[in-house]
Amino acid sequence: MWNYGKRERKHNRVPHMDPFAPQFKDAIMGVPLGGIGCGTIGRGWRGDFLRWTLLPAAIPSINVVEVDQFSVFSRNSGDHSNANASVLYTPAKKSVHAPKTSPVRSAWDFGLKGDKSTYHALFPQAWTIYDGETDADLKITCHQVSPVIPHDYENSSFPASVFEFTIENRSTVHDKDVSLMFSFQNGMGAASDSKGGHSNHFFQEKSDNFTTTGIKLTHAYEQMVFEDWDKNNRKYFSDPLSFAIATNADPSKVSYTTQFASDDVSVLKSVWNKFKTDGKLDNSTTETKSVEGKTIAGAISVSERVGKGQSVKITFTLTWDTPIARFSSGKAYYRRYTKFYGTSGDAVQKIASDALKNYPNWIKAINQWQDTILSNEKLSKEYKMALFNELYYLVDGGTIWTHGRPDQSAQELKELESADNFGNFFYLEGHEYLMCNTYDVHFYASFALISLWPELQLALQREIARATVRQMDVDWFILHDGSTVKRLVRWAVPHDVGNPGEDPWVRPNSYNIQQIQRWKDLNCKFVLQVYRDYVATNNKEFLESLWPIVKKAVEYSFQFDKDGDGMIENEGFPDQTYDTWSATGVSAYCGGLWVATLKVARSIAHELLDVDAFEDYDKKYQIARDVYIKKLWNGTYFNYDTSKNVHRDSIQADMMAGNWYAVSCGVGGIVPIGHAKSSLETVYRYNVAKFVNGTRGAVNGMRPNGAVDEMCMQSKEVWTGTTYAVAA
């Protein structure tokens, strides 16, 4: 693994995993900013901006940029002696992501203690409440929202977030003069911030009695790639990237500083001293390009008078425009939002204006979607929280959603404008597992997509199908056993569609720990998802187009039926999603998926009036089902496998995966209902209740004596996705 990582970095490729260079994370992340596939900016619950995933070929920067802040000024109206100002952020006492000291910390007042502040998250919204924190008379609520809206394939792609502040004056004696400042550095919290060549520009746009005032931050950066992975043949790309901070406030109440040095204590003090004197900035419009070694930022401030017992709202937006997603291969794609804003990279001001106009509609649509769940008194608060907040990864998971490529002809790009074209879509397995649409685990996560953005799930499935029909005769070194295999074998469903450090969609199967073409679950999971997606969408064209590939996927898997009894067998190495946990012979997990696959294939044949295929799959399903029950059922649950290993009768939490998916597809279970109930009750009694007193979810493997199965690392782990699947 160490040699693999070294070799990949040598050729300017990002390793799909590197345990020797882990990303150290604190429990600091809040709801991320932006829509789906447009790049994202992370926001911590303390109020910081700190994880930047705007460039698909780069490891996300998790650094806190301390000038990126909201700050508040307040005083009793007419009384200049009691003014106070503070950044609305409490720095962590210890953090690997924020510096212990910084020019901003030395120059600005970080007076927030945090003891009167609370953070609430319900993705894609968040609320931070400062209850008398900076001024005992003021309650300030920041409502953050991004346009992540189910079944909305336009707004959900937009690179924008809005921050609506509600300022309540609870004093019965004094009116209050209050200002809010939004400051932002030109950059991504990375080395390019100080490379020079960046510039900020003040703008004000008026349309239909609506005024947007803000600062555009144009960022210059170069991306270097090795042509054909040749380190002696370098190419540099300077794709557009810009940010905007803006407000829809009455222009007479807005002040600004277009550009200032964000790493110079004296300059920072000057900006802060002006703000804390009267809540206003100097309206300077310096627009010179930054020099190498220095960073620049801009700021806008909105000032309001809040009557005693009254409240006002102040709204800001943060938008960005990075129209091209370019991977380490140099291959580039336009992002989905360019369908609506163009590809030139000059749309950030328009995006900002539209965000400020339309965010009330975002909130209405999001609330209508979520209220059906939130109002259900039968569901626990924890479950409701998980249903929504775990969706954050569709934004923050290195997600890319495309709309054509720069190297396509004008005619090809024009053809993409049809309403039913949804581009390509991927998300990473994890921030430390840089593989796109990892299919064995997407099997579990896919319910979110097919329920909320079904066209994205169908697009993903079509890409998996396209990869399945390909043969890629590239020698691929396997880390587990040192063998060399073909990277992609026709009719073997791929593990993933690539790695952003290489060439996603063009070079599938970046995974190289085990031999993917011999995995037993991937082809099954493809067939099951295809039919589940048809049942969810009633899209017969989708089902018909993939039916030939489904049949080939089933046919390919029959090679793993070594004894001709109709049931596939595992081969004694980790040949499925649990890729350190070996199984031999018939296994509860893969065997159940296989039986479910044959039953679902039978249903597809019936739906498409393929009589011969229906009769064939019906017979094979009945045979495989009988073998599965006969060889694995022990009267209480299904044994782990049919090996002679002492662990053959272990209790696998995920043993009912095939039955679960068959039921989800509407074709009914694959085992008698009594067998299914008994198996799940056993999993609950052992894997859940006997593991840390039932407080940690379902451990993957348990022994019949109540001890955790320590056969390997994965058998003694709790996997969140597996636990949700077992609960389902």
Side-chain angles (χ1 to χ4, degrees):
M1 181 65 81
W2 184 83
N3 284 329
Y4 160 74
K6 181 180 178 181
R7 183 177 67 250
E8 293 300 288
R9 285 188 293 272
K10 179 180 178 181
H11 290 88
N12 198 40
R13 297 191 293 258
V14 181
H16 65 72
M17 64 176 68
D18 188 355
F20 302 99
Q23 293 188 49
F24 294 99
K25 301 179 183 70
D26 297 332
I28 54 177
M29 298 307 302
V31 172
L33 307 177
I36 298 173
C38 56
T40 189
I41 299 172
R43 190 136 195 265
W45 53 264
R46 294 178 178 273
D48 40 8
F49 297 80
L50 74 162
R51 183 152 68 199
W52 312 78
T53 52
L54 299 176
L55 306 180
I59 299 294
S61 166
I62 314 180
N63 297 323
V64 173
V65 181
E66 292 206 320
V67 77
D68 294 354
Q69 302 290 354
F70 292 105
S71 303
V72 62
F73 162 90
S74 65
R75 68 183 177 197
N76 295 336
S77 298
D79 183 354
H80 294 264
S81 63
N82 70 341
N84 65 77
S86 175
V87 176
L88 292 176
Y89 168 59
T90 305
K93 293 181 179 179
K94 292 182 179 180
S95 174
V96 298
H97 307 302
K100 294 180 180 179
T101 62
S102 69
V104 181
R105 198 110 39 106
S106 300
W108 293 7
D109 295 321
F110 287 73
L112 207 71
K113 294 182 179 179
D115 57 335
K116 297 178 181 178
S117 301
T118 54
Y119 180 82
H120 308 262
L122 193 66
F123 179 83
Q125 302 182 89
W127 296 260
T128 308
I129 301 172
Y130 308 95
D131 195 352
E133 183 81 61
T134 62
D135 183 322
D137 292 332
L138 297 181
K139 180 180 179 180
I140 303 173
T141 301
C142 174
H143 179 187
Q144 169 193 314
V145 61
S146 296
V148 182
I149 304 167
H151 307 286
D152 184 334
Y153 299 94
E154 181 173 342
N155 286 283
S156 293
S157 71
F158 291 170
S161 282
V162 170
F163 308 88
E164 182 186 73
F165 286 83
T166 301
I167 304 168
E168 301 174 55
N169 179 10
R170 296 177 294 192
S171 173
T172 59
V173 179
H174 300 289
D175 294 345
K176 292 282 185 177
D177 292 333
V178 180
S179 297
L180 285 176
M181 178 175 70
F182 187 12
S183 52
F184 201 80
Q185 183 164 292
N186 190 324
M188 302 172 283
S192 67
D193 291 14
S194 59
K195 288 292 186 181
H198 316 313
S199 58
N200 297 351
H201 309 275
F202 172 78
F203 69 89
Q204 194 168 83
E205 295 192 349
K206 298 180 180 180
S207 64
D208 301 326
N209 298 317
F210 190 93
T211 302
T212 303
T213 305
I215 298 170
K216 175 183 179 181
L217 305 95
T218 302
H219 192 75
Y221 79 98
E222 282 189 332
Q223 181 177 345
M224 185 266 289
V225 303
F226 293 153
E227 188 85 9
D228 298 324
W229 313 118
D230 180 0
K231 66 179 181 179
N232 296 315
N233 188 5
R234 302 184 181 189
K235 268 190 148 182
Y236 294 87
F237 296 91
S238 298
D239 298 321
L241 172 60
S242 57
F243 305 88
I245 55 174
T247 181
N248 59 355
D250 183 332
S252 66
K253 299 177 180 180
V254 179
S255 58
Y256 52 88
T257 295
T258 304
Q259 183 171 311
F260 60 90
S262 55
D263 54 2
D264 187 314
V265 173
S266 63
V267 173
L268 289 163
K269 282 184 177 179
S270 177
V271 173
W272 187 254
N273 287 339
K274 180 70 175 79
F275 177 70
K276 78 175 185 179
T277 298
D278 59 5
K280 297 179 180 180
L281 300 171
D282 61 8
N283 291 344
S284 63
T285 56
T286 301
E287 296 185 353
T288 57
K289 289 187 177 182
S290 64
V291 298
E292 188 170 0
K294 300 293 183 181
T295 58
I296 59 172
I300 53 176
S301 176
V302 178
S303 301
E304 290 279 4
R305 177 158 292 184
V306 191
K308 49 184 176 288
Q310 302 297 311
S311 66
V312 299
K313 292 185 184 295
I314 296 175
T315 305
F316 297 100
T317 186
L318 169 63
T319 60
W320 53 97
D321 187 9
T322 170
I324 294 175
R326 188 179 300 277
F327 303 111
S328 292
S329 64
K331 180 69 69 66
Y333 296 80
Y334 292 126
R335 297 184 190 267
R336 166 71 176 183
Y337 76 87
T338 63
K339 175 180 173 70
F340 313 103
Y341 285 103
T343 60
S344 61
D346 60 359
V348 71
Q349 295 165 220
K350 181 69 165 65
I351 298 171
S353 181
D354 287 350
L356 291 167
K357 288 178 184 177
N358 297 326
Y359 82 91
N361 296 328
W362 302 349
I363 295 172
K364 181 180 179 181
I366 292 166
N367 289 344
Q368 287 176 343
W369 156 45
Q370 295 185 337
D371 281 350
T372 56
I373 299 296
L374 299 177
S375 62
N376 189 336
E377 296 180 355
K378 295 181 180 180
L379 304 178
S380 70
K381 290 182 179 179
E382 293 80 5
Y383 181 60
K384 294 173 182 178
M385 179 275 292
L387 277 177
F388 295 115
N389 281 346
E390 293 303 317
L391 290 173
Y392 85 96
Y393 197 68
L394 287 176
V395 167
D396 193 39
T399 314
I400 298 294
W401 186 4
T402 73
H403 184 68
R405 302 190 311 272
D407 61 356
Q408 288 181 298
S409 68
Q411 180 61 34
E412 288 174 317
L413 292 173
K414 185 178 180 180
E415 292 172 358
L416 296 176
E417 298 308 312
S418 63
D420 60 351
N421 186 289
F422 296 93
N424 294 347
F425 170 83
F426 77 63
Y427 65 110
L428 300 177
E429 180 176 343
H431 287 120
E432 291 184 328
Y433 295 93
L434 305 179
M435 292 164 282
C436 308
N437 294 341
T438 301
Y439 201 65
D440 56 314
V441 288
H442 178 71
F443 175 75
Y444 301 90
S446 61
F447 283 94
L449 273 188
I450 196 61
S451 300
L452 302 176
W453 292 275
E455 295 295 347
L456 292 185
Q457 169 66 9
L458 299 189
L460 184 156
Q461 288 282 71
R462 292 184 180 104
E463 284 299 331
I464 290 293
R466 277 190 276 270
T468 300
V469 304
R470 289 176 56 195
Q471 177 81 21
M472 193 173 177
D473 290 327
V474 173
D475 288 340
W476 203 232
F477 180 77
I478 301 302
L479 299 177
H480 177 258
D481 59 12
S483 63
T484 298
V485 300
K486 300 306 178 186
R487 177 161 176 165
L488 189 64
V489 174
R490 184 174 289 114
W491 310 126
V493 171
H495 173 274
D496 55 80
V497 296
N499 166 10
E502 281 194 304
D503 206 345
W505 299 300
V506 176
R507 296 169 66 89
N509 269 349
S510 64
Y511 177 91
N512 62 346
I513 295 177
Q514 306 287 354
Q515 295 186 35
I516 285 300
Q517 70 273 23
R518 291 170 60 193
W519 273 28
K520 310 306 182 290
D521 59 339
L522 287 168
N523 282 36
C524 296
K525 289 173 176 178
F526 173 71
V527 176
L528 292 170
Q529 285 187 73
V530 166
Y531 190 62
R532 189 276 316 273
D533 295 344
Y534 166 70
V535 170
T537 63
N538 200 33
N539 187 330
K540 203 157 193 175
E541 179 279 328
F542 167 78
L543 188 66
E544 289 173 340
S545 66
L546 267 60
W547 177 227
I549 304 172
V550 164
K551 290 191 286 187
K552 285 291 188 179
V554 175
E555 179 184 332
Y556 181 91
S557 294
F558 264 104
Q559 68 179 290
F560 304 123
D561 175 15
K562 302 296 185 181
D563 56 9
D565 64 353
M567 170 57 66
I568 63 172
E569 288 92 28
N570 294 89
E571 297 184 74
F573 75 98
D575 51 0
Q576 28 72 38
T577 190
Y578 297 90
D579 59 354
T580 68
W581 196 359
S582 298
T584 300
V586 182
S587 69
Y589 183 69
C590 292
L593 291 173
W594 176 243
V595 177
T597 294
L598 294 172
K599 189 171 189 180
V600 159
R602 182 185 71 172
S603 296
I604 299 175
H606 180 267
E607 191 70 31
L608 299 181
L609 305 180
D610 189 335
V611 177
D612 291 342
F614 174 84
E615 293 177 351
D616 184 42
Y617 288 134
D618 179 58
K619 181 170 62 176
K620 289 174 177 175
Y621 159 65
Q622 300 291 348
I623 293 172
R625 178 179 181 272
D626 291 346
V627 172
Y628 182 70
I629 295 172
K630 179 180 179 181
K631 290 192 174 183
L632 292 174
W633 179 247
N634 64 17
T636 305
Y637 61 92
F638 289 88
N639 287 335
Y640 177 71
D641 65 12
T642 57
S643 69
K644 297 180 180 180
N645 192 296
V646 68
H647 298 273
R648 64 184 178 277
D649 58 351
S650 285
I651 305 163
Q652 185 178 11
D654 216 3
M655 70 172 77
M656 285 285 98
N659 194 76
W660 164 55
Y661 239 80
V663 172
S664 298
C665 289
V667 302
I670 61 169
V671 298
I673 187 67
H675 288 33
K677 285 185 175 181
S678 178
S679 296
L680 290 170
E681 287 169 358
T682 301
V683 169
Y684 180 76
R685 289 199 312 270
Y686 283 80
N687 302 62
V688 177
K690 291 182 181 295
F691 184 71
V692 197
N693 297 319
T695 62
R696 295 294 185 272
V699 67
N700 285 336
M702 285 287 281
R703 299 290 300 135
N705 64 3
V708 173
D709 187 337
E710 297 189 348
M711 180 179 181
C712 67
M713 174 182 68
Q714 290 177 346
S715 64
K716 54 187 179 182
E717 291 178 336
V718 173
W719 287 8
T720 307
T722 297
T723 293
Y724 279 124
V726 172

